[in-house]
Amino acid sequence: MTRPTQVWPEEFAARYRALGYWRGETLGDMLRATAARWPDRDAVLFDGGRWSYAELDARVDRLASAFVRLGFRPGDRVLVQLPNIPEFIAVVFGLFRADVLPVFVLPAHRRAEIEHFGRHADAVGYVIPDTFGGFDYRSLAREVRSSIPSLRHVIVVGDAEDHTPYAGLEATPVGPLPPVDPSSVAFLQLSGGSTGFSKLIPRTHDDYLYSVRESAAICGLDETSVFMATLPIGHNFTMSSPGILGALYAGSAVALTRSPVPDVAFPIIERFRVTITGLVPPLALIWEQAARTTTADLSSLKVLQVGGAKLTAELARRVREAFPQAILQQVFGMAEGLVNYTRLDDPEERLIHTQGRPISPDDEVRVVDDEGREVSPGKAGHLLTRGPYTIRAYYNAPDANARAFTADGFYRTGDVVSRDEDGYLTVLGRATDMINRGGEKVSAEEIEDHLIAHPQVHDAVVVAVPDPYLGERTCAAIVPRGEAPKPAALKAWIRQRGLAAYKIPDQIVVVDSFPETAVGKTSRRDIRAALRAQLSAPSQAAPGA
Ligand code: AMP
Ligand code: DBH
């Protein structure tokens, strides 16, 4: 199998190197450097213990050696589906040092997604917990095994049953490790997947580390900071904005919480004196309410980041009130690259009303109308971007690449934004049909495909309807075939097809027919408008579901 690549035109690459953005350092080297500087400082803090930098570094070398010994070769891909536990960090850096590429699937993914990513990436390994959140990942691994022909090893943290135990790998003596090229792809991140299934995003050591170093500086991380990974640890936000990598670069400690709910996360903040963490808006809403009555001491929290979906000004204000000691930071990023931050010393007005400005002076941002003409400041337009840490192509996806990138290499983000005179962006919505369900991205097309497969469904359209709690929730409109199916039965159908729970439509509405455009296509816009008018009631969706 060929190794995933990410290529910038030579004149861009030369410039990014000359400017010192790409430094020729690998992620594995980065951890080595921090461990050499602060061997005895805490690297990872969790329920049940702490690892110093020296200890983490040694574990990583043993794991890397074990991966080599298992037969993983440079450029191979391994699915990593672990919750926020210290082993995630050890495994991922072990893979980096073995020159094996992690694919960051999330704990919420189920059979359909794992098979898709596993096959698309030709994964040779799959790393899972035994059980987590009441779900047995070992059974899932047994289910997907035969449909991912390349898969050779399933590695389990905990009771491995018939799979390979992680504990054995960690006990491996250190052996020779391959050289790693800093300009090569280090891992595959997932896109939200605006059309059909999520795509794979190849990021290089050089480009990612640039964004990580700058993010650490923008967010004020140093060796006294404690970053808590609250959102799923493999997500791009938690990895790199500034995330666990920013923390490990700066010599900060990474604190882990197994659950983002206040009852679990607040005691971790108190115990480890957490100084910074990141949330998606629906979680910020829960935290904001809980902070008002909690007995936990949250006074260590200096920076509270919110990103992943639009934070309304109303919620932004409430977060400021509930965490008066913390600076609110808005983060508007994407796994494809570009990340925007409000700066810690920005005026109140900006923290509340904008989603920040780009990391780099060399992030090129264009805001254009439907014809591709630049719009004036303050006007809405499509956000296009290119720069020193934004990809030029997805992995192995020629059709998606043709749509998602302009001829001169700008990534079409699909976001509609406005930009002010100082370059701060405000997100106004999405041009594509992705539903942002409180930060969890649901592709309308993917769910439609599953609905249409049901014998009693003639046609289906999934749209976002505004939700006071999630920002957007999913509503499926279906045209029945014969007798209309019951909504509960359709939801059960989606679940039984092996999709993550957050993709099950929040609401299902049966209609006689869909409105059509002039040439006879289904008009999503009209369906959306009709449903929005009809469904104004708040959702019953559970937090973090
Ligand atoms: P993903 O493809 O999963 O990496 O999601 C990236 C997308 O999430 C962006 O293109 C935006 O649509 C959305 N997003 C991320 N952060 C924000 C934010 N702070 N405000 C509004 N939308 C956001
Ligand atoms: O939503 C995202 O993908 C996101 C949000 C904030 C992201 O990738 C990031 C910061 O890096």
Side-chain angles (χ1 to χ4, degrees):
M1 289 302 150
T2 54
R3 178 180 186 125
T5 55
Q6 187 61 251
V7 183
W8 283 260
E10 189 42 46
E11 68 270 25
F12 286 87
R15 179 177 154 73
Y16 298 152
R17 287 200 181 90
L19 287 165
Y21 299 161
W22 297 356
R23 293 195 181 161
E25 186 184 38
T26 65
L27 288 154
D29 295 340
M30 180 274 275
L31 177 64
R32 180 95 67 218
T34 310
R37 185 148 180 220
W38 285 297
D40 302 322
R41 292 199 80 98
D42 289 328
V44 195
L45 303 166
F46 51 100
D47 206 15
R50 51 183 69 213
W51 293 349
S52 68
Y53 271 97
E55 189 178 351
L56 171 61
D57 194 53
R59 276 176 201 267
V60 167
D61 275 340
R62 293 199 297 274
L63 277 170
S65 307
F67 293 140
V68 170
R69 214 154 296 166
L70 275 182
F72 293 166
R73 300 224 307 278
D76 277 352
R77 275 79 59 199
V78 169
L79 305 175
V80 178
Q81 188 179 30
L82 292 174
N84 298 11
I85 55 175
E87 290 83 356
F88 174 93
I89 300 175
V91 163
V92 163
F93 275 93
L95 292 169
F96 292 154
R97 282 198 189 149
D99 200 16
V100 177
L101 283 46
V103 183
F104 297 117
V105 291
L106 299 172
H109 287 132
R110 292 294 178 261
R111 193 187 67 229
E113 292 96 353
I114 299 300
E115 283 178 0
H116 169 75
F117 294 125
R119 288 156 80 141
H120 187 32
D122 291 302
V124 298
Y126 179 25
V127 188
I128 52 172
D130 46 11
T131 63
F132 187 75
F135 183 77
D136 192 330
Y137 289 83
R138 296 162 301 192
S139 316
L140 174 60
R142 277 189 286 273
E143 272 180 65
V144 301
R145 228 185 150 131
S146 58
S147 27
I148 308 175
S150 52
L151 188 59
R152 294 202 307 273
H153 298 282
V154 173
I155 297 162
V156 181
V157 177
D159 175 4
E161 293 182 338
D162 50 333
H163 306 297
T164 305
Y166 165 90
L169 302 184
E170 234 200 5
T172 303
V174 176
L177 296 176
V180 183
D181 176 358
S183 66
S184 69
V185 169
F187 58 83
L188 299 174
Q189 189 51 273
L190 312 185
S191 79
S194 58
T195 52
F197 266 114
S198 185
K199 294 169 287 288
L200 293 171
I201 299 173
R203 300 286 301 263
T204 67
H205 295 270
D206 271 335
D207 92 75
Y208 210 57
L209 266 177
Y210 169 55
S211 75
V212 163
R213 285 192 309 266
E214 294 304 312
S215 294
I218 289 168
C219 302
L221 291 188
D222 64 25
E223 73 279 10
T224 66
S225 308
V226 181
F227 169 81
M228 180 166 75
T230 305
L231 299 172
I233 192 164
H235 189 274
N236 198 61
F237 186 6
T238 324
M239 285 294 287
S240 66
S241 301
I244 61 167
L245 294 180
L248 296 173
Y249 163 72
S252 318
V254 174
L256 299 172
T257 177
R258 283 173 164 259
S259 164
V261 302
D263 282 355
V264 181
F266 285 6
I268 302 264
I269 296 177
E270 173 174 321
R271 180 163 154 211
F272 297 123
R273 306 293 299 157
V274 168
T275 61
I276 171 169
T277 194
L279 309 175
V280 288
L283 193 55
L285 183 56
I286 296 170
W287 277 37
E288 171 265 311
Q289 282 158 9
R292 294 170 193 265
T293 54
T294 187
T295 54
D297 175 7
L298 307 179
S299 61
S300 57
L301 206 55
K302 291 204 194 90
V303 178
L304 189 56
Q305 303 181 291
V306 184
K310 176 74 184 243
L311 178 67
T312 61
E314 167 63 20
L315 181 50
R317 272 188 221 102
R318 279 157 56 183
V319 170
R320 295 273 298 105
E321 256 170 52
F323 295 90
Q325 81 289 2
I327 298 170
L328 168 68
Q329 180 178 53
Q330 296 219 33
V331 190
F332 163 38
M334 52 209 74
E336 287 82 356
L338 181 71
V339 181
N340 304 276
Y341 295 98
T342 55
R343 302 311 200 252
L344 302 184
D345 57 358
D346 272 341
E348 181 84 6
E349 187 64 14
R350 271 204 173 130
L351 301 184
I352 304 263
H353 290 283
T354 81
Q355 278 67 57
R357 66 178 161 88
I359 290 177
S360 174
D362 281 272
D363 279 320
E364 300 174 64
V365 166
R366 300 183 60 210
V367 183
V368 302
D369 65 17
D370 288 343
E371 279 72 49
R373 288 178 305 240
E374 205 110 8
V375 302
S376 33
K379 293 278 180 312
H382 302 281
L383 171 62
L384 311 184
T385 186
R386 132 185 125 166
Y389 61 96
T390 296
I391 60 164
R392 297 294 186 122
Y394 291 108
Y395 175 58
N396 231 346
D399 293 344
N401 285 335
R403 282 193 304 272
F405 297 89
T406 65
D408 52 357
F410 278 84
Y411 169 55
R412 297 183 212 271
T413 64
D415 294 315
V416 176
V417 304
S418 68
R419 179 174 44 175
D420 70 17
E421 250 110 27
D422 300 313
Y424 280 73
L425 301 175
T426 299
V427 180
L428 304 167
R430 283 198 64 82
T432 55
D433 293 311
M434 171 99 78
I435 296 134
N436 192 332
R437 194 175 175 280
E440 309 261 34
K441 313 307 186 316
V442 181
S443 150
E445 191 185 303
E446 181 188 355
I447 311 310
E448 286 162 12
D449 280 347
H450 286 282
L451 287 169
I452 290 164
H454 191 282
Q456 284 162 273
V457 174
H458 168 68
D459 202 356
V461 167
V462 175
V463 298
V465 293
D467 184 87
Y469 176 73
L470 293 163
E472 291 179 341
R473 66 179 186 268
T474 50
C475 179
I478 64 150
V479 177
R481 183 190 299 273
E483 199 198 331
K486 294 257 180 312
L490 267 183
K491 290 184 186 187
W493 163 262
I494 297 277
R495 187 172 296 124
Q496 167 255 316
R497 287 172 69 86
L499 289 181
Y502 68 82
K503 294 184 185 172
I504 295 165
D506 293 303
Q507 271 172 310
I508 296 177
V509 173
V510 178
V511 297
D512 290 333
S513 64
F514 291 140
E516 289 176 354
T517 65
V519 287
K521 296 185 190 175
T522 299
S523 170
R524 289 172 171 283
R525 200 175 52 184
D526 294 350
I527 295 171
R528 208 178 274 129
L531 289 175
R532 281 181 179 181
Q534 189 185 331
L535 308 168
S536 46
S539 83
Q540 301 299 308

